mmCIF file of all heavy atoms in Angstrom:
data_model
loop_
_atom_site.group_PDB
_atom_site.id
_atom_site.type_symbol
_atom_site.label_atom_id
_atom_site.label_comp_id
_atom_site.label_asym_id
_atom_site.label_seq_id
_atom_site.Cartn_x
_atom_site.Cartn_y
_atom_site.Cartn_z
ATOM 1 N N LEU J 36 -17.503 -16.016 -9.378
ATOM 2 C CA LEU J 36 -16.206 -15.334 -9.323
ATOM 3 C C LEU J 36 -15.800 -15.004 -7.889
ATOM 4 O O LEU J 36 -14.628 -15.137 -7.522
ATOM 5 C CB LEU J 36 -16.255 -14.035 -10.129
ATOM 6 C CG LEU J 36 -16.326 -14.180 -11.639
ATOM 7 C CD1 LEU J 36 -16.569 -12.818 -12.268
ATOM 8 C CD2 LEU J 36 -15.040 -14.768 -12.162
ATOM 9 N N TYR J 37 -16.756 -14.556 -7.097
ATOM 10 C CA TYR J 37 -16.427 -14.036 -5.774
ATOM 11 C C TYR J 37 -16.560 -15.053 -4.646
ATOM 12 O O TYR J 37 -16.167 -14.769 -3.522
ATOM 13 C CB TYR J 37 -17.284 -12.815 -5.461
ATOM 14 C CG TYR J 37 -16.967 -11.656 -6.349
ATOM 15 C CD1 TYR J 37 -17.925 -11.086 -7.169
ATOM 16 C CD2 TYR J 37 -15.679 -11.123 -6.379
ATOM 17 C CE1 TYR J 37 -17.618 -10.027 -7.987
ATOM 18 C CE2 TYR J 37 -15.368 -10.060 -7.196
ATOM 19 C CZ TYR J 37 -16.349 -9.517 -7.992
ATOM 20 O OH TYR J 37 -16.043 -8.464 -8.811
ATOM 21 N N CYS J 38 -17.091 -16.244 -4.901
ATOM 22 C CA CYS J 38 -17.283 -17.192 -3.806
ATOM 23 C C CYS J 38 -15.964 -17.794 -3.329
ATOM 24 O O CYS J 38 -15.882 -18.287 -2.212
ATOM 25 C CB CYS J 38 -18.259 -18.284 -4.213
ATOM 26 S SG CYS J 38 -17.624 -19.438 -5.431
ATOM 27 N N VAL J 39 -14.908 -17.765 -4.146
ATOM 28 C CA VAL J 39 -13.636 -18.353 -3.741
ATOM 29 C C VAL J 39 -12.717 -17.349 -3.050
ATOM 30 O O VAL J 39 -11.666 -17.736 -2.530
ATOM 31 C CB VAL J 39 -12.898 -18.973 -4.945
ATOM 32 C CG1 VAL J 39 -13.676 -20.122 -5.508
ATOM 33 C CG2 VAL J 39 -12.629 -17.928 -6.008
ATOM 34 N N GLN J 40 -13.078 -16.083 -3.021
ATOM 35 C CA GLN J 40 -12.194 -15.086 -2.416
ATOM 36 C C GLN J 40 -11.912 -15.320 -0.936
ATOM 37 O O GLN J 40 -10.788 -15.091 -0.502
ATOM 38 C CB GLN J 40 -12.747 -13.682 -2.637
ATOM 39 C CG GLN J 40 -12.463 -13.177 -4.018
ATOM 40 C CD GLN J 40 -12.791 -11.714 -4.175
ATOM 41 O OE1 GLN J 40 -13.501 -11.146 -3.354
ATOM 42 N NE2 GLN J 40 -12.289 -11.119 -5.224
ATOM 43 N N PRO J 41 -12.857 -15.789 -0.114
ATOM 44 C CA PRO J 41 -12.521 -16.022 1.296
ATOM 45 C C PRO J 41 -11.492 -17.129 1.515
ATOM 46 O O PRO J 41 -10.813 -17.141 2.539
ATOM 47 C CB PRO J 41 -13.853 -16.401 1.936
ATOM 48 C CG PRO J 41 -14.891 -15.860 1.042
ATOM 49 C CD PRO J 41 -14.304 -15.891 -0.335
ATOM 50 N N ILE J 42 -11.353 -18.059 0.581
ATOM 51 C CA ILE J 42 -10.399 -19.157 0.788
ATOM 52 C C ILE J 42 -9.066 -18.925 0.073
ATOM 53 O O ILE J 42 -8.169 -19.759 0.169
ATOM 54 C CB ILE J 42 -11.016 -20.499 0.345
ATOM 55 C CG1 ILE J 42 -11.433 -20.461 -1.108
ATOM 56 C CG2 ILE J 42 -12.178 -20.876 1.232
ATOM 57 C CD1 ILE J 42 -11.909 -21.803 -1.638
ATOM 58 N N LEU J 43 -8.900 -17.804 -0.599
ATOM 59 C CA LEU J 43 -7.638 -17.520 -1.277
ATOM 60 C C LEU J 43 -6.451 -17.411 -0.318
ATOM 61 O O LEU J 43 -5.364 -17.891 -0.653
ATOM 62 C CB LEU J 43 -7.759 -16.257 -2.132
ATOM 63 C CG LEU J 43 -8.558 -16.418 -3.414
ATOM 64 C CD1 LEU J 43 -8.659 -15.081 -4.132
ATOM 65 C CD2 LEU J 43 -7.976 -17.461 -4.313
ATOM 66 N N PRO J 44 -6.583 -16.795 0.866
ATOM 67 C CA PRO J 44 -5.441 -16.797 1.783
ATOM 68 C C PRO J 44 -5.019 -18.207 2.208
ATOM 69 O O PRO J 44 -3.837 -18.480 2.389
ATOM 70 C CB PRO J 44 -5.936 -15.987 2.985
ATOM 71 C CG PRO J 44 -6.986 -15.113 2.443
ATOM 72 C CD PRO J 44 -7.646 -15.903 1.358
ATOM 73 N N GLY J 45 -5.960 -19.102 2.341
ATOM 74 C CA GLY J 45 -5.634 -20.485 2.660
ATOM 75 C C GLY J 45 -4.861 -21.159 1.539
ATOM 76 O O GLY J 45 -3.921 -21.924 1.776
ATOM 77 N N PHE J 46 -5.228 -20.870 0.306
ATOM 78 C CA PHE J 46 -4.477 -21.390 -0.832
ATOM 79 C C PHE J 46 -3.063 -20.815 -0.859
ATOM 80 O O PHE J 46 -2.101 -21.516 -1.171
ATOM 81 C CB PHE J 46 -5.170 -21.059 -2.147
ATOM 82 C CG PHE J 46 -6.385 -21.892 -2.428
ATOM 83 C CD1 PHE J 46 -7.421 -21.369 -3.183
ATOM 84 C CD2 PHE J 46 -6.504 -23.186 -1.968
ATOM 85 C CE1 PHE J 46 -8.540 -22.122 -3.467
ATOM 86 C CE2 PHE J 46 -7.619 -23.948 -2.242
ATOM 87 C CZ PHE J 46 -8.641 -23.406 -2.991
ATOM 88 N N ALA J 47 -2.948 -19.529 -0.557
ATOM 89 C CA ALA J 47 -1.630 -18.885 -0.594
ATOM 90 C C ALA J 47 -0.687 -19.492 0.446
ATOM 91 O O ALA J 47 0.487 -19.757 0.146
ATOM 92 C CB ALA J 47 -1.769 -17.388 -0.353
#
Side-chain angles (χ1 to χ4, degrees):
L36 289 172
Y37 293 120
C38 71
V39 296
Q40 281 190 344
I42 58 174
L43 286 177
F46 285 151

